[in-house]
Amino acid sequence: MSNPTAAATHGAPIVRASLFSRIAKNPFGALSLTVLAVVVLVAVFAPMIAPYNPNHTDVNNLMSGPTGTHWLGTDAAGRDVFTRALFGAQSTLISAVLVVVTSIVVGVPVGLFSGYYGGKLDAIASWIANMLMSLPAIIVLLAVRAAFGASIYLSMIVFGLLVAPGFFRLTRTAVMSVRNELYVDAARVSGLSDARIISKHIFTVVRAPLIIQSAIISGIAVSIQSGLEFLGLGDPKMISWGVMLNEGFQNIFINPLLVLWPSLIISLTIGSFALFGNAVRDALEDSQKIKGSKKAKLAKVQNIDVAGATNPARDFVSNNKHLLEVDHLSVGYPQGDGTLKHVVQDVSLYVDKGEVLGIVGESGSGKSQTAFSILGLLPENARIASGHIVFSGHDLVTHGGGSISQKEMAQFRGKRIAYIPQEPMSNLDPAFKIGYQLVRPMTKLLGISKAEAKAKALAMLETVGISNAERVFNLYPHEISGGMAQRVLIAGAVACDPDLLIADEPTTALDVTVQAEVLDLLRDLQKRVGMGMVLVTHNFGVVADLADRVVVMQYGRVVETGPVRDILRNPQESYTQELLGSMLEGKTPMTMLTTSSKE
Amino acid sequence: MLAFIAKRLGSGALLVLVISTLTYFLLFFSSSNVARNLLGDQATNTQVVAKQAELGLNRPILERYFEWLTHALTGNLGTSWYTNQPILEALLSRLPVTMTIVMIAIVLAAVLATVLGMTAAIKGGWVDRLVQILAVAGFAIPNFVVAIVIVTVFAINLALLPATGWVPFSDNPVMWALSMVLPVTALVVSTVASAAQQIRSSFKDVMSRDWVRTLKSRGIPNREILFKHILRSSAPAGLTVLSLQFVGMMGGAVIIESIFALPGIGQLAVQSTAQGDTPVVMGVVVYTVILVIVVNLVVDLANGWLNPKVRVK
């Protein structure tokens, strides 16, 4: 294994042998590996395979074009260009290795300690890294050249120092994120020394990114080395591609080919380093995908068990009189192997005007995906495989899947179907004031003036229980609390008097005391406006509090559906009983759940 | 905000001090042969000793450093060993050339990279693949190779544009513009693709935020979300990319000015390095570092202005 990058791949147990084969299977990976292997072999065996002595001058044959004896022609001194190109690989390879080794030797250990211990050491190291990164490398290398003379290898070592911050930051970030992981804590508790934790647990995490970074830095090193030599600031006695380029450029009017060869070789080599880095990254991403699809298969197996039970959704009769009707909806994500991983399967439900429908299930049950299908806001790679969604007589998803265009969907969103998200803090645009984010949909959808919209927004804010509405109106999202942000989001959702409100875990991210207030608020609003509501939650308590009917979901399917009282009192399916049981564990039963009053 | 600026200015000043100190000791530590090199082999030993005294090289390096530093603080960066021209004067006369090509190039690169990166992020498909391919190509082909290729094609073979040289704007605006085209192109070509790729990924990152989905659910048109909300939030990342590109272009200008024979700071740097004109090299380093720090400061301020969290404080 003479290829340094390939050798590094082999030395890393975390990057398993299959990674190497995946890189080789990727056409660009194979191409780049081949080119780099050729460069290495040529550099090692140049004295044996070169047809001429690189410094042999043929005075009778200056600057000839390519011929049978001189495959790439001769240069201005009558030397064989092909031979010199072969020997040039040596200095290129040494330069790349010098840069990478220097920057790893400096950057990685400092990054490890800086990220692991933090504190003053980290502050100083980060300051130095920032300083080095703000320096134009060429200018520094010129200064080094001026101080120490023309040694390209010294320049490369200095350049290695200049790019060390890249390795430093990479290692530091990885270490900081791993440092507080549970398994590292566990290792610490079990008495492993810091040094062993660093080498065993943390180093394995940063290895793969280091290979990618090394490939990129190697490419930059070749570029910088050739650039310095091209400027005539390298060692003129050395045989290298940059020197060839420099000599060729002086004769560019006579023989442009002398510039073409080194340009091609340099670009090909740098490009191979870049493609190799990309191939490693792609191979790593693929391996994550493969892990993901294994999980999907597991889910499918479990699906079959559920499907064996009677599907209560079958009892559902479509009669088009409901406000919202979801009919046999299936949603999936295309996988690498061409199959569709289903997250929602054959789900049917309906909501009437003024009715609250709870969708209950654990995370991964497909309840949020069902909600996003109604809004037409599924992630871009999701596919509606089959089914039909009708909202107050309009097809949102036509028979056999395929949703209506975003433009048509937009006429319903905000005005007729509104949405309350789960995470209040991440659902307001941090760059715009709260007032703007409330006013803009109203001016757009209701066609009212800004002043009217502002008055309405202030009234809405007061309705949702924000006392100093005028002040909140002028704040940025990061200046308010999570509970207040959720109130703002609720105000925004109901601002245009929608017929249907879809609330996706509206209280999950909030403190317990705030949860109750927000639920009260939702109930009041729903009653007052008389809108239909889909309440997505994992919490039966929330359902018991608000919903009229409930749909229980598991593994993307409807398990049980019915009026909320019936389901709570007398759940038919074992899964529903489990869900209810887990909620009631360790709590005193509420009167609603017992048939006889205990007090 | 004022405290923020003051802190950044202080940190910048410290950076200039540290770098200039390091550079000074690096450059002047081994300047024993300077007088001999300047005078040539013919000179007698007495002449060499006299020259050394004249340049102050016989004095201790610490003493010389503090003298340089106190002079530099008043704007006096010393004089060239070869031409006796004051270094600040040399730098200032060459600054317009370098700044013109770098500034035009960075504005062009910013516009092109934003358009390309946004299109790749929004449309996906072939535009996205094209940007990826261009990014690898732009990385693989060094700026001097780009410069050589466009000189060969457009100046030598097609004779459409001047190959080398610089015409001041005041002499002939048309020739000035023409003499800019190739150097600026070389700088833009080698930076635009990587910048576009970075803008693409930051744009994609913002596109996947929760609040984008919520804005859509509110009935805000897609176009408004893209160009008002997402663009606004990905602008800081774009500006950071640009400030890194500026550092890269200051380095790139060194090579580009040499190829196109432009009398800028880069050319001065190469000449003085090759000659061993150490005080000029020193001046170039300090000057460039100050420029880079000023640009970074401006970018930081712009990012602060874009980010309400910083602005309000």
Side-chain angles (χ1 to χ4, degrees), chain A residues 225-343:
Chain A
Q225 179 221 3
S226 316
L228 284 176
E229 283 164 345
F230 172 70
L231 287 175
L233 297 175
D235 183 350
K237 275 168 273 165
M238 209 160 72
I239 308 162
S240 79
W241 300 337
V243 171
M244 288 171 72
L245 201 59
N246 173 293
E247 291 165 356
F249 191 59
Q250 290 163 13
N251 298 302
I252 192 164
F253 287 96
I254 308 164
N255 187 358
L257 278 181
L258 290 178
V259 164
L260 178 71
W261 303 127
S263 299
L264 274 181
I265 298 170
I266 291 169
S267 301
L268 195 64
T269 310
I270 302 175
S272 296
F273 277 120
L275 288 175
F276 178 75
N278 284 355
V280 176
R281 192 193 58 204
D282 290 349
L284 286 171
E285 281 172 7
D286 281 351
S287 66
Q288 277 161 358
K289 265 185 207 154
I290 287 167
K291 273 179 207 156
S293 64
K294 269 180 194 159
K295 257 186 211 161
K297 269 178 202 157
L298 204 69
K300 265 182 202 161
V301 174
Q302 286 162 324
N303 270 346
I304 296 163
D305 297 354
V306 181
T310 47
N311 193 338
R314 297 279 176 209
D315 307 334
F316 169 76
V317 185
S318 168
N319 61 11
N320 265 340
K321 279 180 187 158
H322 304 297
L323 175 65
L324 172 81
E325 229 185 292
V326 175
D327 191 10
H328 301 297
L329 178 77
S330 291
V331 179
Y333 288 82
Q335 298 297 297
D337 55 2
T339 59
L340 210 60
K341 178 193 163 192
H342 283 279
V343 292

Side-chain angles (χ1 to χ4, degrees), chain A residues 131 134 142-143 145 147-148 227 230 252 259 271 274 372 413-414 419 426-427 429-430 436 440 445 476 489, chain B residues 15 19 26-27 30 139-140 144 148 152 210-211 213-214 216-218 221 224 228-229 259 273 292 308-309 311:
Chain A
M131 174 184 83
S134 67
L142 290 183
R145 162 69 163 72
F148 297 106
F230 172 70
I252 192 164
V259 164
F372 289 141
R413 278 194 219 125
Y419 163 67
S426 66
N427 274 288
D429 183 344
Y436 178 85
R440 178 62 193 143
L445 298 178
Y476 283 97
L489 283 162
Chain B
L15 200 59
I19 290 170
L26 178 82
L27 285 172
S30 59
F139 179 78
F144 50 88
I148 292 170
T152 315
D210 286 348
W211 52 260
R213 188 172 54 207
T214 302
K216 281 186 190 166
S217 82
R218 294 281 189 266
E224 188 175 322
K228 195 161 187 173
H229 294 271
I259 295 177
T273 303
V292 169
K309 277 188 203 174
R311 200 190 329 163

